[in-house]
Structure formats: C-alpha cells, structure tokens
Amino acid sequence: MMSEDYAHGQRDGLRLALAILAAEEAKWAALLGESRSGRTNAIRAVRHKALQVAQARVQTALNRLTPKADSTMTSELASALDKAGL
C-alpha cells in the first residue's frame, strides 16, 4: 500500500496536469477556425480534441485516486497553482 504522503503528492501532480491541460485547451479553443487554411483549422481542431480527451483521462485517474472525503481542492494545491501562474 502506498503511503498517504505519496498518494497526496500523486493527486496534486494530477491536479496540476489537469490545470495545464485546461490552459492549453483554452489556447487552442481560441484559435479554432481563425486560419484561412482549412488544413491548419483541421489540425487545430484535432489538437483541441486531443487536449479534451487528455483532460478527461487525467480527471478519471484523479477521481480514482481521490478519497471520497477529499473531493475539494486543498489550500496547499491552490497556492502551488498560484505560484505556477495557473
């Protein structure tokens, strides 16, 4: 069985990955359909969808690791996200 500190760190890492993916997804969402090139727009749409799928997979992994009582974001994680600029 993994230690609680390790599990907590693992959950925080997944939450950080989720925040990074959300930021990237928002960036690509803003670029959808902006190019005059159909090929560029198609590539952007694929990247956007890939980021959405990645977010869903990370969220699923996080949900599996999160104890039912720990469903809210901790203040420690919130301060880490602030420091990272996310």
Side-chain angles (χ1 to χ4, degrees):
M1 197 75 188
M2 64 177 125
S3 75
E4 184 54 38
D5 286 341
Y6 179 81
H8 181 73
Q10 194 173 29
R11 290 190 301 271
D12 284 350
L14 286 171
R15 287 183 184 118
L16 182 59
L18 199 55
I20 291 167
L21 285 169
E24 279 295 304
E25 187 266 337
K27 178 181 88 172
W28 285 103
L31 296 173
L32 290 177
E34 291 292 315
S35 176
R36 287 184 278 156
S37 167
R39 183 173 183 205
T40 298
N41 286 331
I43 291 169
R44 287 176 179 174
V46 168
R47 286 180 179 163
H48 181 251
K49 185 62 178 178
L51 287 165
Q52 288 177 329
V53 169
Q55 280 181 299
R57 290 182 178 176
V58 171
Q59 185 64 57
T60 298
L62 179 60
N63 290 344
R64 288 181 181 157
L65 292 174
T66 303
K68 300 302 176 213
D70 187 25
S71 62
T72 60
M73 184 167 46
T74 65
S75 60
E76 176 183 322
L77 175 61
S79 67
L81 289 174
D82 285 340
K83 286 178 187 175
L86 302 170

PDB file of all heavy atoms in Angstrom, residues 28-62:
ATOM      1  N   TRP A  28      -6.000  26.604 -27.568  1.00  0.00           N
ATOM      2  CA  TRP A  28      -6.357  26.064 -28.880  1.00  0.00           C
ATOM      3  C   TRP A  28      -7.812  26.348 -29.224  1.00  0.00           C
ATOM      4  O   TRP A  28      -8.150  26.532 -30.395  1.00  0.00           O
ATOM      5  CB  TRP A  28      -6.051  24.582 -28.951  1.00  0.00           C
ATOM      6  CG  TRP A  28      -4.571  24.351 -29.084  1.00  0.00           C
ATOM      7  CD1 TRP A  28      -3.705  23.952 -28.102  1.00  0.00           C
ATOM      8  CD2 TRP A  28      -3.764  24.582 -30.238  1.00  0.00           C
ATOM      9  NE1 TRP A  28      -2.429  23.913 -28.578  1.00  0.00           N
ATOM     10  CE2 TRP A  28      -2.433  24.293 -29.896  1.00  0.00           C
ATOM     11  CE3 TRP A  28      -4.036  25.005 -31.534  1.00  0.00           C
ATOM     12  CZ2 TRP A  28      -1.379  24.402 -30.790  1.00  0.00           C
ATOM     13  CZ3 TRP A  28      -2.984  25.116 -32.429  1.00  0.00           C
ATOM     14  CH2 TRP A  28      -1.689  24.816 -32.061  1.00  0.00           C
ATOM     15  N   ALA A  29      -8.681  26.403 -28.232  1.00  0.00           N
ATOM     16  CA  ALA A  29     -10.089  26.718 -28.496  1.00  0.00           C
ATOM     17  C   ALA A  29     -10.212  28.109 -29.104  1.00  0.00           C
ATOM     18  O   ALA A  29     -11.031  28.337 -29.997  1.00  0.00           O
ATOM     19  CB  ALA A  29     -10.904  26.622 -27.211  1.00  0.00           C
ATOM     20  N   ALA A  30      -9.386  29.048 -28.642  1.00  0.00           N
ATOM     21  CA  ALA A  30      -9.426  30.415 -29.164  1.00  0.00           C
ATOM     22  C   ALA A  30      -8.947  30.485 -30.608  1.00  0.00           C
ATOM     23  O   ALA A  30      -9.326  31.406 -31.337  1.00  0.00           O
ATOM     24  CB  ALA A  30      -8.571  31.322 -28.285  1.00  0.00           C
ATOM     25  N   LEU A  31      -8.146  29.522 -31.043  1.00  0.00           N
ATOM     26  CA  LEU A  31      -7.599  29.537 -32.398  1.00  0.00           C
ATOM     27  C   LEU A  31      -8.443  28.769 -33.405  1.00  0.00           C
ATOM     28  O   LEU A  31      -8.165  28.828 -34.610  1.00  0.00           O
ATOM     29  CB  LEU A  31      -6.179  28.948 -32.389  1.00  0.00           C
ATOM     30  CG  LEU A  31      -5.133  29.730 -31.598  1.00  0.00           C
ATOM     31  CD1 LEU A  31      -3.825  28.939 -31.543  1.00  0.00           C
ATOM     32  CD2 LEU A  31      -4.899  31.087 -32.227  1.00  0.00           C
ATOM     33  N   LEU A  32      -9.473  28.051 -32.925  1.00  0.00           N
ATOM     34  CA  LEU A  32     -10.280  27.235 -33.831  1.00  0.00           C
ATOM     35  C   LEU A  32     -10.964  28.105 -34.885  1.00  0.00           C
ATOM     36  O   LEU A  32     -11.605  29.103 -34.571  1.00  0.00           O
ATOM     37  CB  LEU A  32     -11.336  26.449 -33.056  1.00  0.00           C
ATOM     38  CG  LEU A  32     -10.816  25.322 -32.184  1.00  0.00           C
ATOM     39  CD1 LEU A  32     -11.953  24.685 -31.410  1.00  0.00           C
ATOM     40  CD2 LEU A  32     -10.093  24.278 -33.010  1.00  0.00           C
ATOM     41  N   GLY A  33     -10.798  27.721 -36.151  1.00  0.00           N
ATOM     42  CA  GLY A  33     -11.450  28.418 -37.244  1.00  0.00           C
ATOM     43  C   GLY A  33     -10.873  29.771 -37.591  1.00  0.00           C
ATOM     44  O   GLY A  33     -11.429  30.489 -38.426  1.00  0.00           O
ATOM     45  N   GLU A  34      -9.767  30.169 -36.986  1.00  0.00           N
ATOM     46  CA  GLU A  34      -9.191  31.505 -37.202  1.00  0.00           C
ATOM     47  C   GLU A  34      -8.335  31.590 -38.468  1.00  0.00           C
ATOM     48  O   GLU A  34      -8.125  32.675 -38.998  1.00  0.00           O
ATOM     49  CB  GLU A  34      -8.348  31.922 -35.994  1.00  0.00           C
ATOM     50  CG  GLU A  34      -9.168  32.204 -34.756  1.00  0.00           C
ATOM     51  CD  GLU A  34     -10.035  33.449 -34.913  1.00  0.00           C
ATOM     52  OE1 GLU A  34      -9.541  34.480 -35.397  1.00  0.00           O
ATOM     53  OE2 GLU A  34     -11.220  33.364 -34.563  1.00  0.00           O
ATOM     54  N   SER A  35      -7.830  30.470 -38.951  1.00  0.00           N
ATOM     55  CA  SER A  35      -6.939  30.493 -40.102  1.00  0.00           C
ATOM     56  C   SER A  35      -7.737  30.453 -41.403  1.00  0.00           C
ATOM     57  O   SER A  35      -8.835  29.910 -41.464  1.00  0.00           O
ATOM     58  CB  SER A  35      -5.998  29.288 -40.053  1.00  0.00           C
ATOM     59  OG  SER A  35      -5.184  29.237 -41.208  1.00  0.00           O
ATOM     60  N   ARG A  36      -7.152  31.027 -42.450  1.00  0.00           N
ATOM     61  CA  ARG A  36      -7.772  30.939 -43.770  1.00  0.00           C
ATOM     62  C   ARG A  36      -7.526  29.569 -44.384  1.00  0.00           C
ATOM     63  O   ARG A  36      -8.208  29.188 -45.335  1.00  0.00           O
ATOM     64  CB  ARG A  36      -7.227  32.036 -44.693  1.00  0.00           C
ATOM     65  CG  ARG A  36      -7.766  33.410 -44.307  1.00  0.00           C
ATOM     66  CD  ARG A  36      -7.291  34.458 -45.273  1.00  0.00           C
ATOM     67  NE  ARG A  36      -5.927  34.840 -44.874  1.00  0.00           N
ATOM     68  CZ  ARG A  36      -5.016  35.363 -45.676  1.00  0.00           C
ATOM     69  NH1 ARG A  36      -5.302  35.584 -46.931  1.00  0.00           N
ATOM     70  NH2 ARG A  36      -3.821  35.667 -45.226  1.00  0.00           N
ATOM     71  N   SER A  37      -6.577  28.823 -43.832  1.00  0.00           N
ATOM     72  CA  SER A  37      -6.240  27.499 -44.342  1.00  0.00           C
ATOM     73  C   SER A  37      -7.116  26.432 -43.688  1.00  0.00           C
ATOM     74  O   SER A  37      -7.156  26.295 -42.462  1.00  0.00           O
ATOM     75  CB  SER A  37      -4.770  27.195 -44.051  1.00  0.00           C
ATOM     76  OG  SER A  37      -4.498  25.825 -44.251  1.00  0.00           O
ATOM     77  N   GLY A  38      -7.803  25.677 -44.498  1.00  0.00           N
ATOM     78  CA  GLY A  38      -8.635  24.585 -43.977  1.00  0.00           C
ATOM     79  C   GLY A  38      -7.809  23.519 -43.292  1.00  0.00           C
ATOM     80  O   GLY A  38      -8.228  22.934 -42.290  1.00  0.00           O
ATOM     81  N   ARG A  39      -6.611  23.267 -43.836  1.00  0.00           N
ATOM     82  CA  ARG A  39      -5.736  22.257 -43.245  1.00  0.00           C
ATOM     83  C   ARG A  39      -5.287  22.685 -41.845  1.00  0.00           C
ATOM     84  O   ARG A  39      -5.281  21.886 -40.904  1.00  0.00           O
ATOM     85  CB  ARG A  39      -4.535  22.024 -44.146  1.00  0.00           C
ATOM     86  CG  ARG A  39      -3.627  20.943 -43.637  1.00  0.00           C
ATOM     87  CD  ARG A  39      -2.543  20.620 -44.627  1.00  0.00           C
ATOM     88  NE  ARG A  39      -1.750  19.524 -44.097  1.00  0.00           N
ATOM     89  CZ  ARG A  39      -0.513  19.303 -44.429  1.00  0.00           C
ATOM     90  NH1 ARG A  39       0.096  20.079 -45.303  1.00  0.00           N
ATOM     91  NH2 ARG A  39       0.161  18.295 -43.912  1.00  0.00           N
ATOM     92  N   THR A  40      -4.904  23.952 -41.707  1.00  0.00           N
ATOM     93  CA  THR A  40      -4.494  24.466 -40.392  1.00  0.00           C
ATOM     94  C   THR A  40      -5.649  24.384 -39.407  1.00  0.00           C
ATOM     95  O   THR A  40      -5.467  23.977 -38.256  1.00  0.00           O
ATOM     96  CB  THR A  40      -3.992  25.920 -40.514  1.00  0.00           C
ATOM     97  OG1 THR A  40      -2.857  25.933 -41.368  1.00  0.00           O
ATOM     98  CG2 THR A  40      -3.609  26.494 -39.164  1.00  0.00           C
ATOM     99  N   ASN A  41      -6.839  24.752 -39.835  1.00  0.00           N
ATOM    100  CA  ASN A  41      -8.014  24.675 -38.959  1.00  0.00           C
ATOM    101  C   ASN A  41      -8.294  23.233 -38.536  1.00  0.00           C
ATOM    102  O   ASN A  41      -8.650  22.977 -37.386  1.00  0.00           O
ATOM    103  CB  ASN A  41      -9.239  25.282 -39.635  1.00  0.00           C
ATOM    104  CG  ASN A  41      -9.177  26.794 -39.673  1.00  0.00           C
ATOM    105  OD1 ASN A  41      -8.573  27.427 -38.809  1.00  0.00           O
ATOM    106  ND2 ASN A  41      -9.790  27.372 -40.674  1.00  0.00           N
ATOM    107  N   ALA A  42      -8.117  22.290 -39.459  1.00  0.00           N
ATOM    108  CA  ALA A  42      -8.337  20.880 -39.135  1.00  0.00           C
ATOM    109  C   ALA A  42      -7.318  20.393 -38.110  1.00  0.00           C
ATOM    110  O   ALA A  42      -7.667  19.673 -37.167  1.00  0.00           O
ATOM    111  CB  ALA A  42      -8.270  20.033 -40.401  1.00  0.00           C
ATOM    112  N   ILE A  43      -6.057  20.792 -38.289  1.00  0.00           N
ATOM    113  CA  ILE A  43      -5.004  20.399 -37.343  1.00  0.00           C
ATOM    114  C   ILE A  43      -5.295  20.983 -35.957  1.00  0.00           C
ATOM    115  O   ILE A  43      -5.142  20.302 -34.937  1.00  0.00           O
ATOM    116  CB  ILE A  43      -3.618  20.832 -37.854  1.00  0.00           C
ATOM    117  CG1 ILE A  43      -3.238  19.996 -39.075  1.00  0.00           C
ATOM    118  CG2 ILE A  43      -2.561  20.713 -36.766  1.00  0.00           C
ATOM    119  CD1 ILE A  43      -2.013  20.502 -39.817  1.00  0.00           C
ATOM    120  N   ARG A  44      -5.725  22.235 -35.928  1.00  0.00           N
ATOM    121  CA  ARG A  44      -6.063  22.871 -34.642  1.00  0.00           C
ATOM    122  C   ARG A  44      -7.228  22.163 -33.974  1.00  0.00           C
ATOM    123  O   ARG A  44      -7.234  21.983 -32.752  1.00  0.00           O
ATOM    124  CB  ARG A  44      -6.391  24.341 -34.853  1.00  0.00           C
ATOM    125  CG  ARG A  44      -5.177  25.180 -35.160  1.00  0.00           C
ATOM    126  CD  ARG A  44      -5.554  26.611 -35.457  1.00  0.00           C
ATOM    127  NE  ARG A  44      -4.373  27.420 -35.720  1.00  0.00           N
ATOM    128  CZ  ARG A  44      -4.405  28.672 -36.120  1.00  0.00           C
ATOM    129  NH1 ARG A  44      -5.563  29.286 -36.298  1.00  0.00           N
ATOM    130  NH2 ARG A  44      -3.293  29.327 -36.338  1.00  0.00           N
ATOM    131  N   ALA A  45      -8.204  21.756 -34.756  1.00  0.00           N
ATOM    132  CA  ALA A  45      -9.360  21.048 -34.192  1.00  0.00           C
ATOM    133  C   ALA A  45      -8.937  19.705 -33.599  1.00  0.00           C
ATOM    134  O   ALA A  45      -9.418  19.316 -32.525  1.00  0.00           O
ATOM    135  CB  ALA A  45     -10.435  20.849 -35.262  1.00  0.00           C
ATOM    136  N   VAL A  46      -8.029  19.012 -34.274  1.00  0.00           N
ATOM    137  CA  VAL A  46      -7.535  17.726 -33.768  1.00  0.00           C
ATOM    138  C   VAL A  46      -6.759  17.929 -32.471  1.00  0.00           C
ATOM    139  O   VAL A  46      -6.943  17.181 -31.500  1.00  0.00           O
ATOM    140  CB  VAL A  46      -6.667  17.016 -34.832  1.00  0.00           C
ATOM    141  CG1 VAL A  46      -5.913  15.838 -34.233  1.00  0.00           C
ATOM    142  CG2 VAL A  46      -7.533  16.563 -35.994  1.00  0.00           C
ATOM    143  N   ARG A  47      -5.901  18.946 -32.430  1.00  0.00           N
ATOM    144  CA  ARG A  47      -5.147  19.230 -31.197  1.00  0.00           C
ATOM    145  C   ARG A  47      -6.095  19.578 -30.050  1.00  0.00           C
ATOM    146  O   ARG A  47      -5.905  19.142 -28.913  1.00  0.00           O
ATOM    147  CB  ARG A  47      -4.164  20.376 -31.420  1.00  0.00           C
ATOM    148  CG  ARG A  47      -2.980  19.980 -32.233  1.00  0.00           C
ATOM    149  CD  ARG A  47      -2.037  21.126 -32.424  1.00  0.00           C
ATOM    150  NE  ARG A  47      -0.882  20.692 -33.198  1.00  0.00           N
ATOM    151  CZ  ARG A  47      -0.052  21.515 -33.794  1.00  0.00           C
ATOM    152  NH1 ARG A  47      -0.214  22.811 -33.695  1.00  0.00           N
ATOM    153  NH2 ARG A  47       0.976  21.052 -34.477  1.00  0.00           N
ATOM    154  N   HIS A  48      -7.100  20.382 -30.354  1.00  0.00           N
ATOM    155  CA  HIS A  48      -8.078  20.779 -29.337  1.00  0.00           C
ATOM    156  C   HIS A  48      -8.792  19.550 -28.784  1.00  0.00           C
ATOM    157  O   HIS A  48      -8.934  19.383 -27.570  1.00  0.00           O
ATOM    158  CB  HIS A  48      -9.067  21.772 -29.955  1.00  0.00           C
ATOM    159  CG  HIS A  48     -10.099  22.263 -29.009  1.00  0.00           C
ATOM    160  ND1 HIS A  48     -11.415  21.881 -29.094  1.00  0.00           N
ATOM    161  CD2 HIS A  48     -10.010  23.091 -27.936  1.00  0.00           C
ATOM    162  CE1 HIS A  48     -12.094  22.466 -28.126  1.00  0.00           C
ATOM    163  NE2 HIS A  48     -11.266  23.199 -27.410  1.00  0.00           N
ATOM    164  N   LYS A  49      -9.234  18.661 -29.677  1.00  0.00           N
ATOM    165  CA  LYS A  49      -9.929  17.447 -29.246  1.00  0.00           C
ATOM    166  C   LYS A  49      -8.998  16.540 -28.439  1.00  0.00           C
ATOM    167  O   LYS A  49      -9.396  15.960 -27.425  1.00  0.00           O
ATOM    168  CB  LYS A  49     -10.484  16.695 -30.455  1.00  0.00           C
ATOM    169  CG  LYS A  49     -11.314  15.495 -30.091  1.00  0.00           C
ATOM    170  CD  LYS A  49     -12.530  15.911 -29.305  1.00  0.00           C
ATOM    171  CE  LYS A  49     -13.401  14.730 -28.965  1.00  0.00           C
ATOM    172  NZ  LYS A  49     -14.551  15.107 -28.163  1.00  0.00           N
ATOM    173  N   ALA A  50      -7.737  16.436 -28.868  1.00  0.00           N
ATOM    174  CA  ALA A  50      -6.766  15.602 -28.139  1.00  0.00           C
ATOM    175  C   ALA A  50      -6.575  16.121 -26.721  1.00  0.00           C
ATOM    176  O   ALA A  50      -6.477  15.330 -25.768  1.00  0.00           O
ATOM    177  CB  ALA A  50      -5.440  15.565 -28.884  1.00  0.00           C
ATOM    178  N   LEU A  51      -6.530  17.439 -26.562  1.00  0.00           N
ATOM    179  CA  LEU A  51      -6.388  18.017 -25.222  1.00  0.00           C
ATOM    180  C   LEU A  51      -7.626  17.757 -24.379  1.00  0.00           C
ATOM    181  O   LEU A  51      -7.527  17.493 -23.179  1.00  0.00           O
ATOM    182  CB  LEU A  51      -6.093  19.513 -25.317  1.00  0.00           C
ATOM    183  CG  LEU A  51      -4.681  19.838 -25.798  1.00  0.00           C
ATOM    184  CD1 LEU A  51      -4.581  21.291 -26.224  1.00  0.00           C
ATOM    185  CD2 LEU A  51      -3.663  19.526 -24.717  1.00  0.00           C
ATOM    186  N   GLN A  52      -8.807  17.801 -24.984  1.00  0.00           N
ATOM    187  CA  GLN A  52     -10.038  17.498 -24.245  1.00  0.00           C
ATOM    188  C   GLN A  52     -10.037  16.043 -23.776  1.00  0.00           C
ATOM    189  O   GLN A  52     -10.420  15.751 -22.639  1.00  0.00           O
ATOM    190  CB  GLN A  52     -11.263  17.772 -25.111  1.00  0.00           C
ATOM    191  CG  GLN A  52     -11.528  19.236 -25.339  1.00  0.00           C
ATOM    192  CD  GLN A  52     -12.700  19.464 -26.268  1.00  0.00           C
ATOM    193  OE1 GLN A  52     -12.978  18.673 -27.170  1.00  0.00           O
ATOM    194  NE2 GLN A  52     -13.409  20.559 -26.041  1.00  0.00           N
ATOM    195  N   VAL A  53      -9.601  15.136 -24.644  1.00  0.00           N
ATOM    196  CA  VAL A  53      -9.540  13.718 -24.286  1.00  0.00           C
ATOM    197  C   VAL A  53      -8.521  13.504 -23.164  1.00  0.00           C
ATOM    198  O   VAL A  53      -8.778  12.775 -22.204  1.00  0.00           O
ATOM    199  CB  VAL A  53      -9.198  12.850 -25.524  1.00  0.00           C
ATOM    200  CG1 VAL A  53      -8.874  11.423 -25.118  1.00  0.00           C
ATOM    201  CG2 VAL A  53     -10.348  12.881 -26.516  1.00  0.00           C
ATOM    202  N   ALA A  54      -7.370  14.162 -23.265  1.00  0.00           N
ATOM    203  CA  ALA A  54      -6.344  14.045 -22.224  1.00  0.00           C
ATOM    204  C   ALA A  54      -6.871  14.548 -20.890  1.00  0.00           C
ATOM    205  O   ALA A  54      -6.633  13.924 -19.842  1.00  0.00           O
ATOM    206  CB  ALA A  54      -5.091  14.823 -22.629  1.00  0.00           C
ATOM    207  N   GLN A  55      -7.607  15.662 -20.916  1.00  0.00           N
ATOM    208  CA  GLN A  55      -8.197  16.180 -19.673  1.00  0.00           C
ATOM    209  C   GLN A  55      -9.145  15.155 -19.060  1.00  0.00           C
ATOM    210  O   GLN A  55      -9.121  14.933 -17.845  1.00  0.00           O
ATOM    211  CB  GLN A  55      -8.983  17.467 -19.946  1.00  0.00           C
ATOM    212  CG  GLN A  55      -8.145  18.689 -20.060  1.00  0.00           C
ATOM    213  CD  GLN A  55      -9.019  19.908 -20.302  1.00  0.00           C
ATOM    214  OE1 GLN A  55      -9.731  19.984 -21.288  1.00  0.00           O
ATOM    215  NE2 GLN A  55      -8.961  20.842 -19.403  1.00  0.00           N
ATOM    216  N   ALA A  56      -9.968  14.546 -19.882  1.00  0.00           N
ATOM    217  CA  ALA A  56     -10.921  13.557 -19.371  1.00  0.00           C
ATOM    218  C   ALA A  56     -10.193  12.365 -18.755  1.00  0.00           C
ATOM    219  O   ALA A  56     -10.589  11.867 -17.691  1.00  0.00           O
ATOM    220  CB  ALA A  56     -11.851  13.094 -20.488  1.00  0.00           C
ATOM    221  N   ARG A  57      -9.115  11.931 -19.385  1.00  0.00           N
ATOM    222  CA  ARG A  57      -8.358  10.779 -18.858  1.00  0.00           C
ATOM    223  C   ARG A  57      -7.653  11.114 -17.549  1.00  0.00           C
ATOM    224  O   ARG A  57      -7.635  10.299 -16.621  1.00  0.00           O
ATOM    225  CB  ARG A  57      -7.363  10.291 -19.900  1.00  0.00           C
ATOM    226  CG  ARG A  57      -8.061   9.627 -21.063  1.00  0.00           C
ATOM    227  CD  ARG A  57      -7.114   9.090 -22.072  1.00  0.00           C
ATOM    228  NE  ARG A  57      -7.868   8.417 -23.126  1.00  0.00           N
ATOM    229  CZ  ARG A  57      -7.313   7.910 -24.200  1.00  0.00           C
ATOM    230  NH1 ARG A  57      -6.013   7.985 -24.377  1.00  0.00           N
ATOM    231  NH2 ARG A  57      -8.058   7.325 -25.110  1.00  0.00           N
ATOM    232  N   VAL A  58      -7.073  12.300 -17.474  1.00  0.00           N
ATOM    233  CA  VAL A  58      -6.408  12.708 -16.232  1.00  0.00           C
ATOM    234  C   VAL A  58      -7.441  12.866 -15.122  1.00  0.00           C
ATOM    235  O   VAL A  58      -7.211  12.465 -13.983  1.00  0.00           O
ATOM    236  CB  VAL A  58      -5.588  14.002 -16.434  1.00  0.00           C
ATOM    237  CG1 VAL A  58      -5.085  14.553 -15.110  1.00  0.00           C
ATOM    238  CG2 VAL A  58      -4.415  13.740 -17.366  1.00  0.00           C
ATOM    239  N   GLN A  59      -8.600  13.448 -15.442  1.00  0.00           N
ATOM    240  CA  GLN A  59      -9.663  13.610 -14.452  1.00  0.00           C
ATOM    241  C   GLN A  59     -10.133  12.253 -13.938  1.00  0.00           C
ATOM    242  O   GLN A  59     -10.354  12.076 -12.742  1.00  0.00           O
ATOM    243  CB  GLN A  59     -10.846  14.380 -15.051  1.00  0.00           C
ATOM    244  CG  GLN A  59     -11.938  14.680 -14.043  1.00  0.00           C
ATOM    245  CD  GLN A  59     -11.481  15.610 -12.933  1.00  0.00           C
ATOM    246  OE1 GLN A  59     -11.018  16.707 -13.207  1.00  0.00           O
ATOM    247  NE2 GLN A  59     -11.614  15.192 -11.700  1.00  0.00           N
ATOM    248  N   THR A  60     -10.248  11.276 -14.828  1.00  0.00           N
ATOM    249  CA  THR A  60     -10.647   9.926 -14.427  1.00  0.00           C
ATOM    250  C   THR A  60      -9.609   9.321 -13.481  1.00  0.00           C
ATOM    251  O   THR A  60      -9.963   8.739 -12.452  1.00  0.00           O
ATOM    252  CB  THR A  60     -10.829   9.031 -15.671  1.00  0.00           C
ATOM    253  OG1 THR A  60     -11.868   9.583 -16.480  1.00  0.00           O
ATOM    254  CG2 THR A  60     -11.197   7.607 -15.282  1.00  0.00           C
ATOM    255  N   ALA A  61      -8.333   9.463 -13.830  1.00  0.00           N
ATOM    256  CA  ALA A  61      -7.268   8.938 -12.961  1.00  0.00           C
ATOM    257  C   ALA A  61      -7.305   9.625 -11.605  1.00  0.00           C
ATOM    258  O   ALA A  61      -7.156   8.968 -10.566  1.00  0.00           O
ATOM    259  CB  ALA A  61      -5.908   9.129 -13.620  1.00  0.00           C
ATOM    260  N   LEU A  62      -7.514  10.934 -11.605  1.00  0.00           N
ATOM    261  CA  LEU A  62      -7.589  11.682 -10.349  1.00  0.00           C
ATOM    262  C   LEU A  62      -8.775  11.224  -9.511  1.00  0.00           C
ATOM    263  O   LEU A  62      -8.652  11.025  -8.299  1.00  0.00           O
ATOM    264  CB  LEU A  62      -7.686  13.177 -10.637  1.00  0.00           C
ATOM    265  CG  LEU A  62      -7.801  14.108  -9.432  1.00  0.00           C
ATOM    266  CD1 LEU A  62      -6.584  13.963  -8.527  1.00  0.00           C
ATOM    267  CD2 LEU A  62      -7.947  15.542  -9.894  1.00  0.00           C
TER     268      LEU A  62
END
